[in-house]
Amino acid sequence: MAASLSMSVDVYCVAPNPSDLKRPNFFTRPYRQQSHKNFTIFCCSSQSPPKLEEPQKKPSLSDQLRPLSTTVLPYNEKTPSHLLSKPHKSTWINPTKPKPSVLSLNRQKRSPYSYNPQIRNLRRFAKQLNDCDTSSHEAFLAVLDTIPRPLTKENALLVLNYLKPWEKAHLFFDWVRSQNLFPMETIFYNVIMKSLRFGRQFGLIEQLANDMIDNGILLDNITYSTIITCAKRCNLFDKAVEWFERMYKTGLMPDEVTYSAILDVYAKLGKVEEVMSLYERGRANGWTPDPIAFAVLCKMFGEAGDYDGIRYVLQEMNNLGVQPNLVVYNTLLEAMGKAGKPGLARSLFEEMVDSGITPNEKTLTALVKIYGKARWARDALGLWERMKSNRWPMDFILYNTLLSMCADLGLEGEAERLFEDMKQSESCRPDSWSYTAMINIYGSGGKVDEAMELFEEMSELGVELNVMGCTCLIQCLGKAKKIDVLVRVFEVAMDKGIKPDDRLCGCLLSVVSFCENDDDLSKVYWCLQRCNPRLVAFVRSIEQGKTSFETMKEEFKAILSNTEVDARRPFCNCLIDICRNKNLHERAHELLYLGTLHGLYPGLHKKSAVEWSLDVRSLSVGAAQTAFEEWMTSVSKIIERREVLPELFSAYTGAGTHKFSQGLPAAFASHVKRLAAPFKQSEDKAGCFMATRDDLLPWLQSRLPSPAALAASI
DNA sequence: TTAGGGTTAG
């Protein structure tokens, strides 16, 4: 035995499959910590960022899931007794001997059924039950009396299969059971459970499962997989795992359907290690996963944006000779999009079409989204042409995604044509998403009147306004300084019961940052007060300039903790802009420091031996100016300490072509010009400002080092 | 939905 395989393993583990050793190690990536130091963002020390609460986390569920090594797969009644002792102690397992089983390689067989001559009568009867009024128990019983006789097991099962919604199926199930005509076998429970799963009735399903146990009725793989997937759909992940464990404890081995169902449970919880552990144990057990299992893995790695993981899945499928089907391709495309690989998504799509698979709505939606995000106008429009010429399937989600793509790419004319197409169509009429996309397009193009026309049209046609549409419109009105109209839109939205979210607050806060007169400012504050009074109180306290740094730090942390992750950086950007507009430069620097401390600006500064660079693309104009000053102050300190400097310094603002660009390159250019800093726009790379060490040194040495002094010299 | 698992929208 090769030394590398002579390893001690826990009794529950199977010996490693050598092919698994080729897998890229995506579990042990180094955690990159944001470095910082009090009031100096770019001279690093190693203090940990203060922990912010994640508002969307549900620790109560996932925390209940104990590690797999101590729960799932420990043993069953068939496990040899010598393996059950002292599970904590390492035991040598010879890989050439049979491995402990984790799943059955044979799927559960379904019992064959023969043609039922009464099928037409039974279907007619089921339809009568489906049509009858459930609110009247008597009416239901009256129809039940007319059931074709004799009421055999096969007849009852057929009727149960046809009944919907779940309430009717459940009533019928109880009635059949009360008739005591034949024993209620497993299949009855399986059929009713599937119906209950449609209604997301996990409580009832669990009750029935316990009835089965109490009455000695066997739970099979179909029962368990239905219970597990119902729990999953109800977000009761702890219940899903609990039933999976119970299955092992009763000695029943899961087949691949149940196994991939539980893989999906762990995947949905983001428990990648547990999923991979199960997957590898299954593989070591001789399992060749089917496309559905691979789709689960793809989705999981896609959600994590883990490109190595996606590559691993592709490699595994290739090694095992498993051809991706349409769903796997769709999942892979989504995953490539989430991992930020538009080029690979495009090749994968072509590979799929070449292999003879026709894309469906989901495929095209995924791809349109990817091209839109990547701002690949030519590919997106080419795809649209192919959709039309090949008559590939379209639905309203695809239409709306196309509209959003047009918004991302600023394709106003194309969006107008699509929107008209939707209005003419029977099945894809514009809904609130479509109107929002159009408002977004007009709003980001500064076309206030067109955006407002759509807002009025929505009201006339009874299309529901949503918070996103409202935010886009307010943003556009704010930029156009139409504050009275903005307040009216806000009031209408509130009257319609729209719940303001953090994006809307961020949008109002940005309007605050560029309001020029007090009258307008008080109107916008009035709106913001209704959404987030704590934020208003915070801004007011900053503006007054009397709050201590420590107090501000604590309150800022509390506000961020209560803010959705995506809205945190915009909040901080706006707050910095507000401070700079009020000439509170010191406070702006403190806020940038706090934002960096909380990880809102990752990758702001990069160092190599030859070049140090500042990437301000995700910063507002005021925040970018503040970051630049802070950077230069840090470099000054490094000069004072006579440390080594690189030859080149660069600041990157981006080309400013994005629809949300606030003209950052131009604002940055005038800022460095005002400071007489030796940064020059690169001719090769738009939005990149370069300075050599030889130019920068004398300029910095002629300046005072403090940021406040730098700012004061503007 | 026709006894069990997987994929689409700011």
Side-chain angles (χ1 to χ4, degrees):
Chain A
M1 179 55 56
S4 62
L5 288 177
S6 301
M7 51 193 290
S8 288
V9 290
D10 185 292
V11 283
Y12 307 140
C13 296
V14 292
N17 182 330
S19 68
D20 293 338
L21 301 176
K22 293 176 195 159
R23 180 171 61 75
N25 188 352
F26 34 77
F27 303 134
T28 53
R29 295 221 186 95
Y31 167 63
R32 268 173 293 176
Q33 200 174 29
Q34 185 72 42
S35 310
H36 49 80
K37 189 176 168 183
N38 267 0
F39 292 96
T40 310
I41 299 168
F42 306 111
C43 298
C44 308
S45 73
S46 59
Q47 191 186 329
S48 300
K51 204 169 178 181
L52 291 175
E53 285 165 31
E54 294 285 343
Q56 290 141 336
K57 257 190 179 170
K58 291 178 185 166
S60 58
L61 286 181
S62 55
D63 288 353
Q64 287 177 54
L65 296 169
R66 288 150 294 162
L68 272 167
S69 57
T70 57
T71 56
V72 184
L73 317 176
Y75 50 81
N76 57 47
E77 287 158 7
K78 293 172 188 163
T79 310
S81 58
H82 71 275
L83 288 180
L84 292 175
S85 61
K86 297 181 185 168
H88 59 277
K89 198 175 170 183
S90 295
T91 304
W92 162 245
I93 291 176
N94 184 346
T96 59
K97 287 263 175 75
K99 298 154 186 166
S101 291
V102 290
L103 88 163
S104 159
L105 298 180
N106 298 316
R107 251 186 225 206
Q108 182 178 321
K109 298 271 186 301
R110 297 180 186 208
S111 50
Y113 51 87
S114 52
Y115 175 73
N116 188 323
Q118 280 188 289
I119 190 156
R120 293 182 80 172
N121 281 343
L122 292 164
R123 286 187 81 151
R124 198 179 306 123
F125 168 73
K127 189 174 182 310
Q128 280 174 340
L129 270 185
N130 283 340
D131 292 344
C132 98
D133 178 12
T134 335
S135 62
S136 160
H137 198 59
E138 285 72 25
F140 191 78
L141 284 174
V143 181
L144 275 178
D145 270 345
T146 68
I147 191 165
R149 303 278 174 174
L151 182 53
T152 61
K153 178 191 128 188
E154 286 71 26
N155 289 0
L157 260 178
L158 263 171
V159 172
L160 189 60
N161 255 332
Y162 292 130
L163 291 180
K164 55 186 170 187
W166 65 268
E167 288 92 337
K168 288 204 170 128
H170 195 223
L171 277 172
F172 181 74
F173 177 85
D174 278 345
W175 179 79
V176 172
R177 190 159 56 170
S178 70
Q179 301 293 300
N180 259 332
L181 293 170
F182 40 77
M184 297 297 275
E185 294 171 7
T186 307
I187 187 168
F188 273 98
Y189 285 89
N190 290 346
V191 175
I192 186 60
M193 279 187 184
K194 189 178 176 190
S195 176
L196 291 169
R197 189 184 61 177
F198 246 86
R200 305 196 173 218
Q201 297 298 310
F202 183 75
L204 287 174
I205 284 191
E206 195 167 47
Q207 210 176 311
L208 285 170
N210 287 322
D211 279 355
M212 291 174 81
I213 294 167
D214 293 344
N215 294 307
I217 301 164
L218 190 76
L219 283 80
D220 61 14
N221 257 286
I222 297 178
T223 325
Y224 279 109
S225 58
T226 313
I227 297 171
I228 289 166
T229 51
C230 179
K232 184 177 71 185
R233 286 176 201 184
C234 297
N235 290 328
L236 298 168
F237 299 109
D238 51 342
K239 281 287 180 191
V241 174
E242 183 188 316
W243 279 95
F244 184 59
E245 289 175 10
R246 283 177 84 158
M247 179 177 193
Y248 277 98
K249 284 174 188 157
T250 63
L252 181 64
M253 197 56 78
D255 65 9
E256 70 172 331
V257 175
T258 317
Y259 206 68
S260 49
I262 203 72
L263 282 184
D264 195 40
V265 168
Y266 282 110
K268 293 261 180 317
L269 284 167
K271 292 185 174 281
V272 180
E273 288 193 41
E274 281 84 346
V275 172
M276 292 316 290
S277 167
L278 280 173
Y279 173 80
E280 284 170 354
R281 289 183 209 190
R283 288 280 297 111
N285 207 155
W287 177 43
T288 301
D290 65 1
I292 293 179
F294 282 119
V296 168
L297 298 187
C298 282
K299 171 99 179 167
M300 174 183 75
F301 286 124
E303 289 297 318
D306 187 335
Y307 177 58
D308 284 344
I310 299 163
R311 263 198 338 203
Y312 167 67
V313 176
L314 279 169
Q315 188 64 49
E316 282 280 283
M317 290 179 75
N318 193 33
N319 290 347
L320 296 169
V322 177
Q323 286 299 316
N325 62 15
L326 178 61
V327 176
V328 173
Y329 271 118
N330 290 352
T331 318
L332 275 167
L333 285 171
E334 275 276 310
M336 293 287 192
K338 289 196 171 127
K341 303 281 177 192
L344 292 167
R346 183 173 55 190
S347 331
L348 200 71
F349 175 71
E350 296 305 338
E351 179 194 301
M352 178 189 129
V353 176
D354 289 347
S355 76
I357 297 177
T358 304
N360 68 4
E361 298 89 336
K362 290 174 179 138
T363 325
L364 298 166
T365 300
L367 208 56
V368 168
K369 219 169 92 183
I370 290 168
Y371 290 164
K373 284 264 185 298
R375 313 190 67 241
W376 286 5
R378 205 176 56 187
D379 291 272
L381 293 174
L383 183 65
W384 188 5
E385 289 305 318
R386 280 169 80 184
M387 280 179 210
K388 285 189 284 190
S389 62
N390 290 319
R391 295 177 177 252
W392 282 338
M394 301 265 302
D395 66 0
F396 74 102
I397 294 180
L398 179 52
Y399 260 115
N400 285 344
T401 310
L402 278 164
L403 281 177
S404 300
M405 174 206 76
C406 290
D408 282 335
L409 300 176
L411 301 170
E412 195 180 297
E414 284 80 358
E416 282 170 339
R417 277 196 289 281
L418 265 170
F419 195 59
E420 276 311 307
D421 273 3
M422 289 183 85
K423 282 183 169 174
Q424 304 301 322
S425 86
E426 285 294 316
S427 54
C428 301
R429 289 284 167 84
D431 65 355
S432 61
W433 286 71
S434 331
Y435 273 93
T436 298
M438 287 306 292
I439 289 175
N440 192 6
I441 289 166
Y442 287 136
S444 49
K447 297 196 168 176
V448 189
D449 295 339
E450 285 85 345
M452 278 305 290
E453 260 175 48
L454 287 179
F455 174 72
E456 306 294 355
E457 191 176 298
M458 283 176 89
S459 186
E460 282 162 23
L461 297 176
V463 177
E464 206 179 318
L465 179 69
N466 61 24
V467 69
M468 175 79 174
C470 170
T471 305
C472 291
L473 199 53
I474 284 180
Q475 186 168 12
C476 149
L477 291 164
K479 277 185 189 164
K481 307 271 180 342
K482 298 202 168 185
I483 305 301
D484 288 330
V485 189
L486 181 153
V487 174
R488 185 169 72 82
V489 168
F490 179 81
E491 282 180 317
V492 169
M494 294 303 109
D495 289 347
K496 288 189 172 173
I498 286 181
K499 212 168 155 259
D501 63 4
D502 292 333
R503 285 172 192 237
L504 178 55
C505 289
C507 171
L508 287 167
L509 196 61
S510 77
V511 181
V512 166
S513 76
F514 55 71
C515 256
E516 281 160 357
N517 69 64
D518 288 346
D519 189 33
D520 282 349
L521 200 55
S522 65
K523 289 173 187 166
V524 183
Y525 270 133
W526 178 83
C527 298
L528 195 53
Q529 179 73 26
R530 287 187 63 179
C531 310
N532 193 335
R534 192 171 186 176
L535 183 62
V536 174
F538 182 66
V539 181
R540 292 293 202 193
S541 74
I542 291 179
E543 283 176 339
Q544 285 161 6
K546 289 177 186 164
T547 318
S548 72
F549 172 71
E550 283 306 317
T551 311
M552 181 179 80
K553 184 179 167 186
E554 286 311 307
E555 187 56 16
F556 184 68
K557 183 181 169 187
I559 285 175
L560 285 191
S561 291
N562 287 319
T563 303
E564 279 178 41
V565 175
D566 288 350
R568 288 174 183 171
R569 188 169 62 216
F571 271 30
C572 192
N573 279 339
C574 289
L575 290 168
I576 293 172
D577 286 350
I578 291 168
C579 287
R580 290 191 73 100
N581 293 343
K582 299 264 177 193
N583 276 325
L584 298 164
H585 288 262
E586 192 71 33
R587 205 105 276 202
H589 280 269
E590 288 169 1
L591 281 165
L592 179 70
Y593 161 72
L594 291 176
T596 311
L597 195 67
H598 290 300
L600 304 185
Y601 302 107
L604 185 57
H605 188 219
K606 283 196 180 68
K607 283 179 172 181
S608 77
V610 289
E611 183 178 349
W612 289 1
S613 60
L614 183 74
D615 183 348
V616 294
R617 281 176 299 175
S618 67
L619 277 68
S620 60
V621 169
Q625 292 170 344
T626 311
F628 177 73
E629 292 161 8
E630 192 69 39
W631 188 37
M632 288 298 103
T633 306
S634 303
V635 177
S636 298
K637 286 181 181 168
I638 290 165
I639 293 170
E640 278 173 16
R641 296 202 299 265
R642 297 177 182 280
E643 289 172 17
V644 181
L645 288 176
E647 282 176 24
L648 207 58
F649 293 81
S650 61
Y652 189 42
T653 61
T657 47
H658 193 267
K659 60 172 178 157
F660 294 130
S661 168
Q662 300 169 306
L664 186 58
F668 193 83
S670 62
H671 187 61
V672 290
K673 194 175 172 191
R674 267 199 305 274
L675 294 171
F679 280 85
K680 301 277 175 283
Q681 283 221 50
S682 159
E683 287 176 8
D684 306 329
K685 196 176 175 187
C688 189
F689 295 79
M690 318 282 280
T692 63
R693 177 181 55 203
D694 294 344
D695 288 336
L696 195 61
L697 247 155
W699 177 73
L700 280 173
Q701 281 166 338
S702 71
R703 317 288 301 183
L704 290 169
S706 85
L710 261 175
S713 67
I714 299 166

